[in-house]
């Protein structure tokens, strides 16, 4: 894997790519040696555009090599949650075929290897409650508020 760290409005983000695509996006800096790579550059540029409110859909190739069948189903569903919208853990559980697995959805979100691009921040507790996020609740709120603001601005232009 090749790694880089980028600065963002929510702090340092660590990105990693392999021969297939983006395979990690973690909050915070890394201890791994940093490298230059066209895919890392593209990922950094797309994230910069996302934080600037100029990009709503990432077009990066992804490489997911971990996770159980259930976790992969959850992560796939996360990519289907539209920009600026949210689903509850229970709704995601129902969509992936196990209506009683809301806690397991939370665990899958916590294990999501490609945060932001695979938008686990769009999953909230019942009633829209801000719960559980690897980057912290303030970061989750920041991402959701960014998307809500851009969605409203786009609606009125």
């Amino acid at each position: 894997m090749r790694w880089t760290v980028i600065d963002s409005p929510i702090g340092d983000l660590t990105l990693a790519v392999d021969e297939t695509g983006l395979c990690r996006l973690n909050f915070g800096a890394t201890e791994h040696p940093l490298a230059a790579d066209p895919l890392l550059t593209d990922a950094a540029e797309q994230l910069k555009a996302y934080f600037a409110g100029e990009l709503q859909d990432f077009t990066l190739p992804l490489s997911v090599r971990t996770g159980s069948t259930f976790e992969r189903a959850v992560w796939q569903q996360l990519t289907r949650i539209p920009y600026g919208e949210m689903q509850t853990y229970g709704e995601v559980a129902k969509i992936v075929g196990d209506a009683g697995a809301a806690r397991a959805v939370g665990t899958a979100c916590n294990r999501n290897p490609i945060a932001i691009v695979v938008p686990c921040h769009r999953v909230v507790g019942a009633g829209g409650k801000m719960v559980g996020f690897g980057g912290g609740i303030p970061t989750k709120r920041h991402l959701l508020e960014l998307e809500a603001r851009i969605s409203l601005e786009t609606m009125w232009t």
Side-chain angles (χ1 to χ4, degrees):
M1 284 194 286
R2 294 163 311 282
W3 301 81
T4 195
V5 175
I6 65 167
D7 183 43
S8 80
I10 57 172
D12 288 340
L13 299 173
T14 296
L15 312 175
V17 296
D18 62 17
E19 64 280 352
T20 306
L22 182 67
C23 57
R24 301 290 301 180
L25 194 158
N26 298 335
F27 299 100
T30 183
E31 298 296 320
H32 296 283
L34 304 182
D37 181 280
L39 184 52
L40 286 171
T41 301
D42 188 26
E45 289 173 358
Q46 286 192 37
L47 283 159
K48 180 180 176 183
Y50 168 82
F51 285 113
E54 300 164 355
L55 179 82
Q56 296 183 8
D57 296 303
F58 292 96
T59 58
L60 299 165
L62 304 180
S63 177
V64 179
R65 297 180 181 204
T66 62
S68 67
T69 301
F70 179 81
E71 288 171 334
R72 287 172 174 254
V74 168
W75 299 336
Q76 185 62 42
Q77 175 55 29
L78 299 180
T79 66
R80 295 183 184 117
I81 302 172
Y83 181 92
E85 296 184 21
M86 297 177 286
Q87 288 181 346
T88 66
Y89 293 98
E91 288 170 333
V92 173
K94 185 176 179 181
I95 291 167
V96 300
D98 190 347
R103 285 182 187 252
V105 168
T107 299
C109 287
N110 188 27
R111 294 180 180 162
N112 173 12
I114 310 173
I116 302 171
V117 175
V118 176
C120 52
H121 61 277
R122 295 180 189 156
V123 183
V124 296
K129 187 175 180 183
M130 294 285 166
V131 295
F133 187 64
I137 298 301
T139 298
K140 183 173 191 163
R141 182 172 286 114
H142 177 92
L143 296 170
L144 291 172
E145 287 175 352
L146 167 70
E147 292 185 8
R149 180 179 54 81
I150 297 304
S151 292
L152 284 172
E153 289 174 1
T154 303
M155 186 185 324
W156 296 106
T157 56

